[in-house]
Amino acid sequence: MNSSAPIGVFDSGVGGLTVVREIMRQIPDERIIYFGDTARVPYGSKSKETVTRYSRQIVRFLRQQNVKAIVAACNTASAYALDEIEKEMEIPVIGVVKPGARAAMDVTENGKIGVIGTEATIGSQIYTRYIKQYHKNVTILEKACPLFVPLVEEGLLNDPVTDEIAMRYLSSLSDSGIDTLILGCTHYPLIRSTVGRVMGRGVTLVNPAYETAHELRAVLEKEQMLNLSRPGLGDNQYQFFVSDGAEKFIRIANSIIKYGILSAKVINIEEY
């Protein structure tokens, strides 16, 4: 595999851009092809079979772009589809759950960890399973926050409605004694300040996006696939694709990664 080949990143919508943002920061020489499944967002309320089918379609599209690695920048896809996709791929495939679980274990001091995510991610208990692999005596409290994704997709990052919903979702966790909270959906770091206010200063928020980019760099180094030269100005270093609503995607994306995204191409993902 050519080390200058791009990295494929996908999510149900704009949330995976929090992972893209970290990849840009931590390994800035890499090329990235991002796909946001904006026509079918959210994934968190859908079945395992449906999410796996969606994920396979997206992976097929990314493979046609000759990517050298794939990042499932979606906790629901990581929970439901990652194991099967890994078996089918000859290139590295990285999810966001394992890096987030390891990071939470590293920072907790009292062994009480909270997880917030979509209904699918929380229902799968994937974070609990991974964390228990590291330490069986840890206490884990999980809470589904399904309205956070549509609020983020609508750009309501700093809005009284988001504040009110966060208070309703998180009040029980804020009184539970946890000292660590995993933001178990890549959309959630976009409302990190709101979550932090509700949880209070005594709770450390873990952003799996940061840890995922760190793991991606380590994998590329191990496989000797790290790009060692910055792409030129005309080399189209970052490309963005969506399944619907390109203009809305561009508007929200530019508020997330501050890159100056000028275009996003709509593709019919059902063809893959």
Side-chain angles (χ1 to χ4, degrees), residues 40 48-58 60 81 270:
R40 304 186 293 196
K48 175 181 174 67
E49 291 74 21
T50 296
V51 172
T52 301
R53 178 168 63 85
Y54 289 175
S55 299
R56 281 200 172 106
Q57 289 174 332
I58 297 167
R60 283 195 285 269
E270 293 285 359

Side-chain angles (χ1 to χ4, degrees), residues 107-174:
V107 300
T108 185
E109 295 183 356
N110 68 3
K112 295 181 179 180
I113 298 172
V115 183
I116 55 175
T118 66
E119 292 175 301
T121 299
I122 298 303
S124 73
Q125 294 191 315
I126 191 166
Y127 273 103
T128 293
R129 294 203 307 273
Y130 280 135
I131 292 172
K132 291 290 188 179
Q133 288 178 5
Y134 298 118
H135 203 301
K136 294 183 179 180
N137 296 324
V138 172
T139 299
I140 303 164
L141 302 176
E142 298 185 291
K143 176 70 175 180
C145 304
L147 289 178
F148 281 170
V149 170
L151 287 168
V152 169
E153 290 286 332
E154 288 300 318
L156 300 175
L157 307 183
N158 298 289
D159 190 276
V161 172
T162 305
D163 292 344
E164 174 64 24
I165 295 298
M167 287 292 295
R168 293 190 180 199
Y169 279 154
L170 303 177
S171 58
S172 60
L173 284 177
S174 65

Side-chain angles (χ1 to χ4, degrees), residues 189-225:
L190 298 173
I191 53 171
R192 183 188 182 109
S193 59
T194 299
V195 174
R197 283 197 305 273
V198 175
M199 296 305 299
R201 295 184 177 180
V203 177
T204 299
L205 304 184
V206 172
N207 177 8
Y210 176 88
E211 307 300 332
T212 301
H214 183 76
E215 179 163 320
L216 173 63
R217 182 186 181 103
V219 168
L220 293 178
E221 288 177 339
K222 179 181 178 182
E223 300 294 330
Q224 297 183 328
M225 292 195 300

Side-chain angles (χ1 to χ4, degrees), residues 176-253:
S176 65
I178 63 172
D179 71 347
T180 303
L181 179 65
I182 299 174
L183 304 178
C185 172
T186 50
H187 286 72
Y188 295 1
L190 298 173
I191 53 171
R192 183 188 182 109
S193 59
T194 299
V195 174
R197 283 197 305 273
V198 175
M199 296 305 299
R201 295 184 177 180
V203 177
T204 299
L205 304 184
V206 172
N207 177 8
Y210 176 88
E211 307 300 332
T212 301
H214 183 76
E215 179 163 320
L216 173 63
R217 182 186 181 103
V219 168
L220 293 178
E221 288 177 339
K222 179 181 178 182
E223 300 294 330
Q224 297 183 328
M225 292 195 300
L226 202 64
N227 193 11
L228 301 178
S229 59
R230 178 69 64 92
L233 291 177
D235 287 349
N236 217 9
Q237 184 175 3
Y238 305 126
Q239 299 180 63
F240 300 90
F241 297 86
V242 294
S243 49
D244 194 23
E247 291 184 3
K248 179 180 176 182
F249 172 85
I250 292 169
R251 184 177 68 253
I252 299 175

Side-chain angles (χ1 to χ4, degrees), residues 49-82:
E49 291 74 21
T50 296
V51 172
T52 301
R53 178 168 63 85
Y54 289 175
S55 299
R56 281 200 172 106
Q57 289 174 332
I58 297 167
V59 166
R60 283 195 285 269
F61 163 72
L62 292 173
R63 289 295 286 132
Q64 287 193 9
Q65 314 309 308
N66 296 315
V67 297
K68 64 182 179 183
I70 292 176
V71 178
C74 173
N75 282 265
T76 302
S78 295
Y80 276 173
L82 189 66

Side-chain angles (χ1 to χ4, degrees), residues 9 182 261:
V9 184
I182 299 174
I261 299 172

